[in-house]
Amino acid sequence: EIVMTQSPATLSVSPGERATLSCRASQSVGSNLAWYQQKPGQAPRLLIYGASTRATGISARFSGSRSGTEFTLTISSLQSEDFAVYYCQQYNNWPPYTFGQGTKLEIK
Amino acid sequence: QVQVLESGGGVVQPGRSLRLSCVASGFTFSSYDMHWVRQAPGKGLEWMAVISYDGSNQFYADSVKGRFTISRDSSKNTLYLQMNSLRAEDTAVYYCAKEGGSFGGSYPFDYWGQGTLVTVSS
């Protein structure tokens, strides 16, 4: 099973600033890595797939990148609606599909 | 527009059974693999099961293998999760999710339902 490790667990950033979230895979997942955003009481929403491709309707403030088994989600110029929990997921080697434990992005 | 809507959650005693349903609309249901993902209260996302677009293949997380069964009825555009021998640790919101590509392969989950809460308690 591929283990996905996200860091940090909680990230405090001021509105208008940039946030950088990390996700590491325990082995290669190629670029089969997705990022999801989840707000309280809501379902997860797909933000990024293929490590760097924005899903339909996702703001250009969200970008993803890959370096080997390290993945990064960057949110530029944080807006109030961006404060949420973010999960990475690998869909390369399954079953099982595996998620990271999440990073909570909170207002500083 | 694409929609998936879960139902069937509730409070159930340990050891009992429950069946969840997920009605899909806005896409060709029979062309997409479908998944169940759960989230325990205050916890992260845990993938549970997948069924292939034609229903011929099913895969499960180890935590539910042998207890849960995923199935689909394409004539009704409906996905199911039969949960047997329920345990307290199965308490969670259960989400149905559509895979982002058709006819199998490796894709993320592009549409999720709002979830249905299952509480296992005596």
Side-chain angles (χ1 to χ4, degrees):
Chain A
E1 173 177 328
I2 296 178
V3 176
M4 307 301 293
T5 303
Q6 291 186 242
S7 60
T10 303
L11 182 62
S12 299
V13 183
S14 301
E17 299 290 304
R18 174 187 302 198
T20 302
L21 290 67
S22 297
C23 174
R24 174 186 299 172
S26 61
Q27 60 186 274
S28 176
V29 299
S31 292
N32 288 332
L33 187 286
W35 290 94
Y36 299 87
Q37 176 193 67
Q38 188 179 34
K39 298 179 181 179
Q42 296 186 17
R45 178 174 70 146
L46 177 65
L47 297 177
I48 299 283
Y49 64 94
S52 59
T53 302
R54 282 188 300 278
T56 303
I58 300 303
S59 168
R61 294 183 293 102
F62 293 88
S63 63
S65 64
R66 170 197 172 194
S67 176
T69 58
E70 300 272 352
F71 299 86
T72 301
L73 175 68
T74 301
I75 312 170
S76 63
S77 188
L78 279 163
Q79 308 295 305
S80 58
E81 62 267 26
D82 299 333
F83 293 95
V85 179
Y86 292 83
Y87 294 94
C88 63
Q89 177 213 23
Q90 70 83 20
Y91 51 94
N92 191 64
N93 289 14
W94 56 269
Y97 294 79
T98 47
F99 294 88
Q101 78 277 22
T103 291
K104 181 179 181 180
L105 180 58
E106 63 177 28
I107 300 174
K108 185 174 182 180
Chain B
Q1 71 280 24
V2 173
Q3 286 189 316
V4 289
L5 181 61
E6 305 92 339
S7 62
V11 180
V12 61
Q13 293 179 328
R16 304 298 292 264
S17 299
L18 201 63
R19 189 178 81 159
L20 306 182
S21 299
C22 169
V23 178
S25 61
F27 65 100
T28 304
F29 181 69
S30 59
S31 295
Y32 293 87
D33 293 6
M34 296 292 294
H35 299 258
W36 288 99
V37 177
R38 72 182 179 186
Q39 186 169 38
K43 302 298 184 182
L45 301 170
E46 181 185 16
W47 174 81
M48 290 287 93
V50 59
I51 186 167
S52 59
Y53 61 94
D54 59 359
S56 62
N57 291 294
Q58 306 87 33
F59 297 97
Y60 300 90
D62 286 345
S63 58
V64 303
K65 198 175 296 182
R67 298 190 300 124
F68 289 12
T69 302
I70 188 172
S71 62
R72 66 193 298 162
D73 184 340
S74 289
S75 70
K76 297 181 179 179
N77 282 3
T78 302
L79 175 72
Y80 302 100
L81 186 66
Q82 177 67 43
M83 304 185 294
N84 297 333
S85 303
L86 282 161
R87 307 166 180 167
E89 54 265 35
D90 295 319
T91 294
V93 173
Y94 285 73
Y95 295 101
C96 137
K98 169 188 170 292
E99 198 161 286
S102 56
F103 302 116
S106 294
Y107 299 100
F109 306 163
D110 61 351
Y111 287 93
W112 299 61
Q114 284 304 300
T116 187
L117 176 62
V118 173
T119 303
V120 183
S121 173
S122 54

